[in-house]
Amino acid sequence: TAGITQAPTSQILAAGRSMTLRCTQDMRHNAMYWYRQDLGLGLRLIHYSNTAGTTGKGEVPDGYSVSRANTDDFPLTLASAVPSQTSVYFCASSESAGDQETQYFGPGTRLLVL
Amino acid sequence: QQQVKQSPQSLIVQKGGISIINCAYENTAFDYFPWYQQFPGKGPALLIAIRPDVSEKKEGRFTISFNKSAKQFSLHIMDSQPGDSATYFCAAPADYMIKAAGNKLTFGGGTRVLVKP
């Protein structure tokens, strides 16, 4: 199985433009997550979804929005990109939102905002 | 808000040596401490995790030790191999989430390990 796929692999985006990062999982996992990874800061949670139809804010949600219309897809949208959103973005999923569930990560999307 | 402090930021070890990475946390919603391993160009993947009922867990060459009173936990890589060269992240449950919100993790800043042949 593919697990988690993310698209695009990388992107250069002009500041002020909008963009949607796509994430699809084929594991039928209930919970999904979006992280950004910056050098020295580790992975920081942007938004999460415990189950289809629900979303919640993570540690750094400002400037980002998400939706969870179905189990498989969890897109992340930047409405008006700023240079500080330059980062590597990882989508992840877990079987449930319960304690101690393993999170499975996608390959990431490298985003450069100029 | 939960902070997880990880050290060192980078580590160079000779093949066969021991790699040691330390993490300290402030508060947790519950005791569960996973370690994730990330190879260049890939997403992180769970390496090993420890739960509160034990102070040490060993899987092959990887060992986690946990000191609840000191709020610290560490990863030891014994007999380090070049294939272990990767970035390692510790994590702890995020205390800004109520327990009912479940599996939200706060990650440390990462340690880049290079094992020289």
Side-chain angles (χ1 to χ4, degrees), chain B residues 66-86:
Chain B
F66 171 57
N67 184 332
K68 185 169 184 175
S69 62
K71 295 186 177 180
Q72 294 176 347
F73 56 108
S74 61
L75 174 69
H76 289 60
I77 307 174
M78 312 300 288
D79 186 26
S80 298
Q81 300 297 310
D84 297 332
S85 297

Side-chain angles (χ1 to χ4, degrees), chain A residues 18-93:
Chain A
S18 66
M19 180 179 181
T20 295
L21 281 64
R22 300 185 297 278
C23 174
T24 300
Q25 53 108 352
D26 64 1
M27 298 176 282
R28 306 302 294 172
H29 284 176
N30 284 310
M32 297 187 75
Y33 315 84
W34 272 107
Y35 292 90
R36 58 176 292 172
Q37 182 177 23
D38 304 287
L39 191 63
L41 297 177
L43 295 143
R44 292 181 293 169
L45 183 65
I46 304 171
H47 284 287
Y48 67 92
S49 169
N50 286 344
T51 188
T54 69
T55 62
K57 293 182 179 181
E59 182 183 355
V60 289
D62 295 342
Y64 306 94
S65 64
V66 292
S67 62
R68 187 88 185 277
N70 57 61
T71 297
D72 299 341
D73 301 299
F74 191 43
L76 176 73
T77 297
L78 288 68
S80 179
V82 295
S84 62
Q85 292 179 309
T86 292
S87 187
V88 182
Y89 291 85
F90 287 99
C91 179
S93 72

